[in-house]
Amino acid sequence: MQRLATFSVVALSLAAGAAHADLNYTVKMQMIGPTSTGKALGDVVITPGYQGKGVVFATSLSGLPPGDHGFHVHQNPTCGAAMKDGKMEPGEAAGPHYDPQNTAKHSGPAGGGHKGDLPVLKVSANGKAAENINVDGLTWAELKGKSLMIHAGGDTYGEPPANGGGGARIACGVIQ
């Protein structure tokens, strides 16, 4: 009887783990340029937050410029270039930050603005970003079909977004 009980506990644990494994998005991040995507940087795994509250972005990236970078969820599921101010710009096809309530406010992850405003991504001197970033204002389910963008500079969450949002788009991945 003890073997049956042990087997049942192991089977339930494996089933729970398998079910949880389905609750993640692995986003393949790549450098982006005016005409195409480039070098692979690694992954960002997105999972539901603790006790279903928010989401966690687990970064495992290398090859980025050191320092602080704007890190955002963008509206469209593409990393392609698009025309902006008369020239092709990397990542512009991803559209604006994810903003389902149309706040038009770039005020940071806890500021009541765009839901796509994430905490600043910290990249070490050796070009690596390996951290778990908790974001309470998003749900796991609403992220599918969006893109994840890394910007050239740090995000001050100021207005206008071109100045506060971290500048040029340098890396991207599609959340599928």
Side-chain angles (χ1 to χ4, degrees):
M1 186 56 106
Q2 186 174 4
R3 283 187 184 165
L4 180 58
T6 301
F7 175 76
S8 296
V9 168
V10 169
L12 286 173
S13 296
L14 290 173
H20 184 65
D22 292 341
L23 292 178
N24 70 59
Y25 297 123
T26 299
V27 183
K28 302 288 184 189
M29 300 295 292
Q30 294 181 305
M31 295 299 286
I32 54 176
T35 58
S36 66
T37 57
K39 177 179 81 167
L41 299 170
D43 300 329
V44 175
V45 177
I46 307 170
T47 58
Y50 180 68
Q51 295 184 340
K53 184 177 180 187
V55 294
V56 176
F57 293 84
T59 64
S60 180
L61 305 169
S62 61
L64 287 164
D68 291 350
H69 295 274
F71 190 43
H72 306 113
V73 175
H74 282 252
Q75 185 63 44
N76 302 324
T78 181
C79 294
M83 292 296 285
K84 180 180 179 184
D85 300 328
K87 66 178 190 170
M88 291 299 283
E89 290 289 340
E92 283 297 323
H97 294 174
Y98 176 54
D99 188 15
Q101 285 85 26
N102 295 313
T103 66
K105 287 175 52 183
H106 184 69
S107 52
H114 302 150
K115 289 182 87 173
D117 280 344
L118 303 178
V120 170
L121 181 67
K122 306 274 186 189
V123 178
S124 68
N126 64 2
K128 294 185 179 192
E131 59 184 317
N132 290 332
I133 301 170
N134 298 298
V135 180
D136 289 340
L138 287 169
T139 66
W140 178 83
E142 71 187 308
L143 293 174
K144 186 172 186 175
K146 308 287 184 285
S147 58
L148 193 57
M149 191 72 64
I150 299 172
H151 294 262
D155 194 338
T156 63
Y157 307 108
E159 298 292 344
N163 295 330
R169 300 169 185 202
I170 63 167
C172 182
V174 174
I175 306 168
Q176 300 179 4

